[in-house]
Amino acid sequence: MLALRGIGRTSAVVATAAALLMPAVSAQAADIPPVGEVVTSPNVSHVANVPKPAGLETTINTDIAFQGDYAYVGNYGGFSIYDISRPERTKVVSSVVCPGSQMDVSVYGDLLFTAVDNSRSDDSCNSVAQSAAVKESWEGIRIFDISDKKNPKYVKAVETNCGSHTLTLVPGKGRDRRNVYLYASSYNPSASFPDCQPPHDKISIVKVPLRDPAAAAVVATPVVFPDGGNETQPGLLLPTSGCHDITVYPEKDVAAGACMGDGVLFDISDRANPVVTARVTDPNFAFWHSATFNNTGTKVVFTDELGGGGGATCNEATGPNRGADAIFDIRNGRLDFRSYFKISRYQADTENCVAHNGSLIPVKGKDIMVQAWYQGGISVVDFTDSTNPQEIGFFERGPEPNGGGGGIWSAYYYNGYIYGSDFHHGLDVLKISDRRTDPARSVRLDRLNVQTQASYRQGHGH
């Protein structure tokens, strides 16, 4: 979700109750499920829902990471650890109240990393929101020891320029394997913010020694756009001043950056010195939000978060090419546009809906992904044919009561199940039964940080 710097952050669109009674431009009333009602395609079943734990009930859920039999769910108020050893009986193991949006999460061994892009009075879990105009304010990355799942321990805070809206974990390579790197994506600088000065246009790289995580520190701040990014295109949500999200494919030494007004490819063979190798813009994209490679690394799906996550853009008025996915083939190092994908299930004009976070479903020889669409729910998409992507399954709820914002923030496939992080309703567990996706059940993963992609083959995982 789009962030605005300072004390506050944007929230999902809120409409009045009267708006619910207005004729919908985008959908016929008969097409909209009743408030809160779950609907799915015939091949998708809703296995479980686990409400948010005490202490985090009033703040919204965000991203998810997985390791072993556990799921780690971020929340604007902290994070929770879930036991998913029996997905149909998923349960909360523990939760940590530690406010600071967005609290996107990545996990590696006994360490959990969280991103904070909300300026705070200090780096503690007792901090309060404080303007970025105050020099002493803090935002950046928090590191927790999760060796005891019932009792996580706060290890270290690392301040980064303009905070860390999202973070991407990059394992070291060769002799550097005892370290991991965190790419902190941030943006929206201001001359009034001492630690977030324009033009910014860079990322912060934090090196974490795995044997001494308390020694984590910023080791580089490479400028992605030394000559400036896309700032003048009509319809941009914000001009480029950094990246919103970066997805790495460490085995292939490549990364894809969704950078506000630009989509880019990086060479990350030198982990602390990523180099831009390709760059593209799109007149239909308002905000390059996230990226997903296919398994062979020959395609990238970029998402456009039109409306910043708060807009009702899944309607006829917005159309199929905005607030959508854009599918690119990678040819000779270039990004070649092939098509758009957007859910065709029109949502009510009170429902915030736009392309958001997703992951691959590991089917050999196919390109299939699951993706969140806020109140558009969860979509399963086959993009094997880059020019003709098709939705093959879905899950969604009817509108939130009184026109409130909400929906699924992230939807990821892990070891046979789909997990969706819902703003208000907690953690949803789904299962898809379809000949096109069934082969994925033989792929077992030890860990899944979606922004850190690894190759798969049937019967093997990473």
Side-chain angles (χ1 to χ4, degrees):
M1 177 172 280
L2 171 68
L4 299 179
R5 308 204 56 74
I7 294 179
R9 289 293 188 255
T10 57
S11 61
V13 68
V14 177
T16 64
L20 286 170
L21 305 177
M22 296 174 61
V25 173
S26 62
Q28 312 230 346
D31 297 331
I32 306 299
V35 171
E37 180 175 305
V38 169
V39 292
T40 71
S41 56
N43 58 355
V44 172
S45 56
H46 191 199
V47 175
N49 171 264
V50 185
K52 293 182 292 185
L56 301 177
E57 312 100 312
T58 61
T59 44
I60 67 174
N61 274 351
T62 59
D63 210 10
I64 318 173
F66 304 86
Q67 188 167 244
D69 288 332
Y70 296 93
Y72 302 84
V73 179
N75 179 290
Y76 273 38
F79 67 89
S80 301
I81 302 177
Y82 293 79
D83 182 339
I84 58 171
S85 57
R86 300 176 68 182
E88 68 283 355
R89 297 188 180 181
T90 293
K91 59 184 179 182
V92 176
V93 176
S94 63
S95 61
V96 173
V97 176
C98 196
S101 64
Q102 300 182 136
M103 289 295 283
D104 280 10
V105 292
S106 285
V107 63
Y108 198 92
D110 288 334
L111 300 176
L112 180 76
F113 307 98
T114 67
V116 180
D117 187 27
N118 169 229
S119 53
R120 313 294 299 175
S121 55
D122 56 57
D123 63 9
S124 76
C125 288
N126 297 316
S127 66
V128 296
Q130 179 171 283
S131 173
V134 178
K135 172 63 179 174
E136 291 74 23
S137 294
W138 178 91
E139 53 190 328
I141 290 171
R142 293 170 174 150
I143 304 173
F144 294 84
D145 182 327
I146 53 168
S147 53
D148 181 352
K149 303 295 185 290
K150 294 182 178 180
N151 189 30
K153 301 291 188 183
Y154 194 174
V155 173
K156 171 78 171 181
V158 181
E159 187 170 14
T160 58
N161 290 335
C162 298
S164 180
H165 191 66
T166 62
L167 62 81
T168 305
L169 187 147
V170 193
K173 55 187 291 190
R175 296 181 179 178
D176 201 23
R177 290 185 182 276
R178 293 180 179 177
N179 303 301
V180 297
Y181 294 83
L182 306 174
Y183 293 176
S185 294
S186 56
Y187 55 91
N188 215 14
S190 169
S192 65
F193 298 159
D195 299 319
C196 185
Q197 290 286 297
H200 193 55
D201 283 337
K202 60 188 176 183
I203 62 176
S204 296
I205 300 179
V206 175
K207 182 178 180 179
V208 183
L210 293 172
R211 294 185 176 181
D212 184 15
V218 174
V219 293
T221 54
V223 176
V224 180
F225 303 102
D227 300 320
N230 183 7
E231 300 177 1
T232 60
Q233 177 182 306
L236 287 180
L237 196 63
L238 289 172
T240 299
S241 59
C243 292
H244 179 277
D245 210 334
I246 296 172
T247 295
V248 296
Y249 204 148
E251 294 169 49
K252 299 181 183 296
D253 285 335
V254 298
C259 301
M260 304 178 68
D262 298 82
V264 301
L265 291 179
F266 297 92
D267 178 336
I268 60 166
S269 52
D270 180 348
R271 300 296 196 240
N273 185 34
V275 176
V276 174
T277 59
R279 177 178 164 191
V280 68
T281 60
D282 186 325
N284 284 320
F285 260 44
F287 193 82
W288 295 69
H289 176 274
S290 52
T292 303
F293 288 100
N294 68 340
N295 187 49
T296 58
T298 57
K299 301 177 186 178
V300 183
V301 179
F302 285 103
T303 66
D304 173 23
E305 195 185 40
L306 174 68
T313 71
C314 296
N315 53 26
E316 187 175 10
T318 302
N321 297 338
R322 301 181 66 241
D325 298 332
I327 301 169
F328 290 81
D329 287 348
I330 302 175
R331 295 181 175 177
N332 300 318
R334 300 190 311 269
L335 289 164
D336 287 348
F337 172 77
R338 305 302 291 163
S339 68
Y340 297 109
F341 170 79
K342 188 173 183 180
I343 59 172
S344 59
R345 297 171 283 108
Y346 287 149
Q347 305 298 301
D349 290 343
T350 60
E351 292 184 275
N352 57 303
C353 175
V354 74
H356 215 239
N357 295 346
S359 75
L360 293 182
I361 296 181
V363 179
K364 184 178 180 181
K366 298 289 185 181
D367 298 326
I368 301 175
M369 69 181 293
V370 59
Q371 185 178 359
W373 291 79
Y374 288 129
Q375 287 198 68
I378 295 173
S379 179
V380 179
V381 184
D382 186 334
F383 65 103
T384 306
D385 180 350
S386 301
T387 65
N388 188 31
Q390 300 290 325
E391 180 176 80
I392 61 175
F394 71 89
F395 161 94
E396 68 167 293
R397 287 185 172 90
E400 288 295 316
N402 302 317
I408 304 288
W409 180 287
S410 298
Y412 302 143
Y413 185 96
Y414 182 71
N415 292 348
Y417 291 82
I418 294 168
Y419 296 85
S421 175
D422 188 284
F423 277 42
H424 308 305
H425 298 282
L427 184 64
D428 286 304
V429 185
L430 314 177
K431 192 167 188 177
I432 183 167
S433 299
D434 189 289
R435 59 176 177 77
R436 293 163 289 192
T437 58
D438 287 347
R441 294 179 186 175
S442 67
V443 178
R444 311 306 292 179
L445 303 178
D446 301 321
R447 178 174 56 249
L448 179 64
N449 297 306
V450 169
Q451 291 81 11
T452 310
Q453 286 193 225
S455 62
Y456 59 79
R457 54 195 174 100
Q458 259 52 49
H460 298 270
H462 296 266

